[in-house]
Each structure stands twice: as structure tokens, then as C-alpha cells.
């Protein structure tokens, strides 16, 4: 541990703060986390945070907002308010409300990678770890789904009888689109006999088809422990590699393509984390009329998965 990490742990203890960290954060932040996980696991931890006096969220805006929605009376802090997920911004309220008007019978399933205002219009939210199960459980003919079209492809393949209506038409994550059809990953697999290729459901359909497993970041953490493969080619944001390597020193984790970096996630640094803990800002706020409706959709997801 470096000096700043030690100070962070000390202040965190003094303030009884709960430090929630997403798998894409840099290694030094992962190392000081109270809980490190994927979007779904972090929602659960936020829901169970009643003993903490403050939540400090090292992730992107929609994740911190979700923590606030689940804990309206608690102070929730994000170390850099500019950690904004571009995919969450791709879904405009106009597009969402138009789709609801056009398909009044269709339930609305929104990826947690959306802003609280959009979640307030959803029947239920989902993450990449539970999207297929949630859509299946709704047992509907048509489902309004967004904003990630590639996650939609993943769901459609596993729940073929449902028609997904995408909002917007082509929502995506630039970091995962960058892997393209997975050509580099397949080349690496050929160079490393016995290796396994993983793709996140936000990757393009062609890459999903070529991968050995399509997994959420939490799914990757679990499979890393059980896979017989000694070399794994990882198709998601590079921050997770440090965790996989730390927890599985006998295996080798390679980036499916170099420089798959989420700029939004990387806006959080050890320095601004320390400042946020000390100054207890920037504070995340969600107006209660929106939070109340968004909470219904998020809690429904937690019940259904
Ligand atoms: P996970 O839910 O798999 O952690 O993914 C979150 C995310 O933002 C992927 O880009
Ligand atoms: Fe958003 Fe993509 Fe970054 Fe995930 S990796 S937070 S979807 S931009």
C-alpha cells in the first residue's frame, strides 16, 4: 500500500464511509475498496448500506445515482462528477417516451447504464448479468429495450420469442465497440493453444459469436477461478485485468485488444478519491419525484434476479 492508499483507509474508517468500486477502476483504487464488483453486485451492496454514514462510489455517474436512489437519506459522493458514461447519455427522454406511446402494452427494460430520469420511466432495470433472465421472466411478446443494442442482441439470442424494440436504435459503448469483430482476440487465441476468449455482452455480435464465453464483469471474475484454461483473452475494459491477475496468479490474462480504456471510469483517481472522502463532495443528488419512480424499477430488478 502506498501512503495515499493508507490515508484513504484511515479517513474512510474515521468517517464510517463505504467505498464501492467497479471492476474497471485502476488497481490502486480496487485495492482500497470495501467492495469491488460488477454493476449488479454494486447495486446490491448499495441497497444493504444502511450502517454506513456515507457511500463513496468509484465508478460512473449512473452507478452513483443508482446508489443514491436506493439510499435517498444517505450522502453519496462520486470523486469526480465528470465520470459520465457516454452510453447512458445516448437515450433521450423523447425517444423513450415516443416508444412508450407507440407500444403502450410493452414493458420497458432499461440497462442500469441510463440516467435516473430514464429509469423512472422503466418497468424494470437490468444489468449484463441478468438482462436475459429479466426479459424472459416478463413473459411479454414485445419489450422496449435500451440503450445497448449489443446487450439486446445477447438477450434476443437467449430469449428468441420476444421482440425487442430498441431505444435508441443504435445505442452502444464505444469502449466495447472498439473490439470490433474480435479479430485480434481470435489471432491471440491461435497463438496461445488451450486459451479461452471472453467477450462482454456490450461487444459487437460478431465478437460475441466468436468468443468462447460472453460474460458480465462479475461473470468473468467467477469464471477466472474455475476455468481450466491457463491463458484467457479478455474482451472488456482493461481495468478488470489487474483484478483477474491479482486473484488468479497462476493464470495469464491478456487484453483482447490493447487500449480498451473507459475514459469516464478513469476520471476517478486515487487523488480525487482522497479529496472526496475528506471534503465529502461532489455529492450525488436525484430529485425525489424521479428517484421514487426509478427506485421501483431498480428494486424490481433486485427482486427478479
Ligand atoms: P458490468 O455490469 O458487467 O460490470 O458492466 C458495466 C459496464 O459499464 C460495462 O461497460
Ligand atoms: Fe459506459 Fe462503456 Fe465505460 Fe461501461 S465501459 S461505463 S458502458 S462507456
Amino acid at each position: 500500500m502506498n501512503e495515499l492508499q493508507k490515508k484513504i483507509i484511515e479517513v474512510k474508517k474515521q468517517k464510517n464511509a463505504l467505498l464501492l468500486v467497479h471492476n474497471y477502476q485502476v488497481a490502486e483504487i480496487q485495492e482500497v475498496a470495501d467492495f469491488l464488483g460488477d454493476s449488479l453486485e454494486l447495486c446490491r451492496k448499495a441497497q444493504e448500506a444502511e450502517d454506513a454514514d456515507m457511500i463513496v462510489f468509484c465508478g460512473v455517474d449512473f452507478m452513483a445515482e443508482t446508489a443514491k436512489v436506493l439510499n435517498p437519506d444517505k450522502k453519496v459522493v462520486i470523486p469526480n462528477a465528470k465520470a459520465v458514461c457516454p452510453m447512458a447519455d445516448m437515450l433521450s427522454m423523447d425517444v423513450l417516451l415516443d416508444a412508450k406511446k407507440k407500444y403502450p402494452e410493452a414493458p420497458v427494460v432499461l440497462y442500469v447504464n441510463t440516467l435516473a430520469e430514464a429509469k423512472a420511466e422503466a418497468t424494470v432495470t437490468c444489468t449484463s448479468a441478468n438482462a436475459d433472465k429479466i426479459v424472459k421472466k416478463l413473459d411479454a411478446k414485445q419489450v422496449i429495450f435500451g440503450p445497448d443494442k449489443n446487450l439486446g442482441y445477447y438477450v434476443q439470442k437467449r430469449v428468441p420469442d420476444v421482440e425487442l424494440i430498441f431505444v435508441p436504435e443504435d445505442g452502444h459503448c464505444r469502449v466495447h465497440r472498439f473490439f470490433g469483430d474480435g479479430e485480434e482476440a481470435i489471432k491471440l487465441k491461435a497463438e496461445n493453444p488451450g486459451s479461452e476468449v471472453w467477450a462482454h455482452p456490450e461487444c459487437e455480435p460478431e465478437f460475441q459469436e466468436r468468443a468462447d464465453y460472453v460474460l458480465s464483469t462479475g461473470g468473468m471474475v467467477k469464471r477466472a477461478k474455475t476455468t481450466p484454461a491457463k491463458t484467457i483473452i479478455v474482451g472488456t475494459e482493461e481495468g478488470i485485468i489487474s483484478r483477474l491477475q491479482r486473484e488468479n496468479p497462476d493464470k495469464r490474462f491478456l487484453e483482447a485488444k490493447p487500449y480498451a480504456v473507459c475514459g469516464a471510469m478513469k476520471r476517478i483517481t486515487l487523488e480525487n478519491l482522497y479529496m472526496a472522502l475528506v471534503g465529502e463532495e461532489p455529492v450525488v443528488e436525484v430529485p425525489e419525484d424521479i428517484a421514487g419512480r426509478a427506485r421501483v424499477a431498480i428494486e424490481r430488478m433486485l427482486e427478479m434476479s
Side-chain angles (χ1 to χ4, degrees), residues 71 79 88 197 216 218 247 289:
N71 294 278
V197 175
S216 67
E247 293 180 359
D289 56 325

Side-chain angles (χ1 to χ4, degrees), residues 24 60 62 85-87 113 173-176 202 237 262 265:
Y24 294 161
V60 286
F62 71 81
C85 166
M87 189 211 276
N113 301 36
C173 163
R174 291 173 206 152
V175 181
H176 288 86
E202 287 178 13
E237 210 271 351
C262 174
M265 285 279 178

Side-chain angles (χ1 to χ4, degrees), residues 171-199:
H172 62 276
C173 163
R174 291 173 206 152
V175 181
H176 288 86
R177 190 166 261 192
F178 169 73
F179 291 107
D181 64 5
E183 196 186 332
E184 289 85 353
I186 298 308
K187 206 166 149 236
L188 272 174
K189 183 173 160 120
E191 288 164 9
N192 291 277
S195 62
E196 216 168 66
V197 175
W198 299 346

Side-chain angles (χ1 to χ4, degrees), residues 2 4 17 22 31 61 68 83 86 91 100 119 126 128 131 143 156 160 183 199 201 218 252 255 259 272 281 299-300:
N2 66 35
L4 195 49
H22 187 265
E31 285 161 11
D61 55 344
K68 179 65 186 176
L91 178 56
K100 283 183 71 165
K119 288 188 181 83
C126 72
S128 58
V143 166
Q156 189 77 80
E183 196 186 332
R252 203 161 59 110
E255 294 170 60
Y259 312 116
N272 60 30
E281 57 175 11
E299 288 180 346
R300 192 170 285 145

Side-chain angles (χ1 to χ4, degrees), residues 90-106:
M90 282 178 193
L91 178 56
S92 77
M93 291 309 288
D94 289 353
V95 168
L96 177 57
L97 295 177
D98 278 356
K100 283 183 71 165
K101 225 181 263 167
K102 201 163 165 199
Y103 303 95
E105 301 296 321

